[in-house]
Amino acid sequence: MKELKNVYKSLNKNEKIGCLLFLVILITTQIASGSTGVAFIAGLLGFFYVTLVRKGSRLCYIFGGVQIALYIYISLSSRFYGDVMLNSFNLVMQPIGWYLWTKRDNNGTVKPKSLTKRNMTLIFIIWTASIGFYGIWLRTLGGNTPLIDAVTTCSSITAMLLSIQAYKEQWKFWLICNATSIVMWSLALTRGDNAAFPMICMWVAYFINSVVAYREWYKK
């Protein structure tokens, strides 16, 4: 509880207003769409998760573990098989992230690290190739929006691996992941998927958080 209180105290006025606004929007979309309570809880926990990541708090991995388990269920129902496999991987990464961030804890937060240009270039090449191969495989499985699903999956895996090591370059890949996820769930909405409303709301909040986090971590 003390760590959560410290995170709350670190939020400025605009951030607190943004949190309240997100909650109002999430509740409104929940009522308007009639989506499941699971989608609502997943969206809410997801917002807490990315906010805690941005603030460098290890508690993000507790909220993240529960949120990811719920998101796997939702993605499976919507036939986003890439997202199911992706979040199964992310679920395993949560206790690993907790352990690594606890080791590097500095008064409740972690200090960002930076990749070399050479390593960043290598990661970008692997990321691009993975999208191509994974997209082809998802198409053979008959999944919805296989290419977008592949971009989301590969970007999220890359970002998660960088996140548990506290590399600031993670936010470049989170931005891509969040943007493509908004597109993916928007397409699901056009197909009449009721769970899409809170999911779009969640991913928009993720995207905004990534923009803010990108600035904050690079300033550090």
Side-chain angles (χ1 to χ4, degrees):
M1 288 299 294
K2 184 179 179 181
E3 287 187 51
L4 279 176
K5 288 181 179 178
N6 290 336
V7 172
Y8 179 77
K9 289 178 181 178
S10 70
L11 298 174
N12 59 40
K13 182 179 179 180
N14 290 335
E15 288 174 322
K16 290 178 181 178
I17 292 174
C19 290
L20 180 60
L21 181 61
F22 170 78
L23 183 59
V24 171
I25 293 173
L26 188 63
I27 293 174
T28 302
T29 55
Q30 166 73 13
I31 296 173
S33 65
S35 61
T36 64
V38 175
F40 173 78
I41 295 172
L44 186 60
L45 291 177
F47 180 73
F48 290 150
Y49 169 66
V50 295
T51 300
L52 290 168
V53 174
R54 174 163 58 85
K55 291 299 180 180
S57 172
R58 64 177 181 169
L59 294 177
C60 65
Y61 293 108
I62 295 178
F63 285 87
V66 180
Q67 187 270 338
I68 290 169
L70 295 177
Y71 191 74
I72 289 173
Y73 171 78
I74 296 169
S75 296
L76 188 60
S77 301
S78 299
R79 294 176 60 201
F80 291 147
Y81 301 132
D83 254 19
V84 172
M85 288 180 274
L86 156 68
N87 284 281
S88 298
F89 166 80
N90 285 344
L91 189 60
V92 175
M93 290 294 104
Q94 300 308 296
I96 297 175
W98 170 273
Y99 172 73
L100 293 176
W101 278 34
T102 299
K103 285 181 64 177
R104 301 188 66 245
D105 186 85
N106 179 42
N107 295 324
T109 59
V110 295
K111 290 185 177 180
K113 298 189 296 183
S114 297
L115 289 169
T116 63
K117 288 184 178 180
R118 180 180 179 182
N119 287 340
M120 184 61 190
T121 301
L122 179 61
I123 289 173
F124 181 78
I125 292 172
I126 295 173
W127 170 76
T128 303
S130 299
I131 290 172
F133 287 115
Y134 195 52
I136 293 172
W137 185 50
L138 289 177
R139 185 181 294 275
T140 63
L141 293 178
N144 291 322
T145 61
L147 181 58
I148 296 176
D149 207 356
V151 174
T152 303
T153 301
C154 295
S155 299
S156 184
I157 289 176
T158 305
M160 179 59 71
L161 291 174
L162 294 176
S163 177
I164 63 174
Q165 295 291 338
Y167 282 111
K168 63 184 182 182
E169 287 79 7
Q170 64 170 296
W171 296 109
K172 294 180 179 179
F173 291 98
W174 284 131
L175 282 167
I176 297 171
C177 172
N178 297 336
T180 51
S181 292
I182 292 171
V183 174
M184 184 175 71
W185 284 105
S186 295
L187 292 174
L189 182 61
T190 63
R191 294 193 298 270
D193 190 336
N194 286 337
F197 270 111
M199 290 298 96
I200 292 172
C201 184
M202 182 186 77
W203 285 109
V204 169
Y206 278 19
F207 183 82
I208 295 172
N209 180 80
S210 296
V211 173
V212 177
Y214 181 89
R215 296 178 61 188
E216 287 185 2
W217 280 52
Y218 272 79
K219 284 181 180 178
K220 293 178 183 179

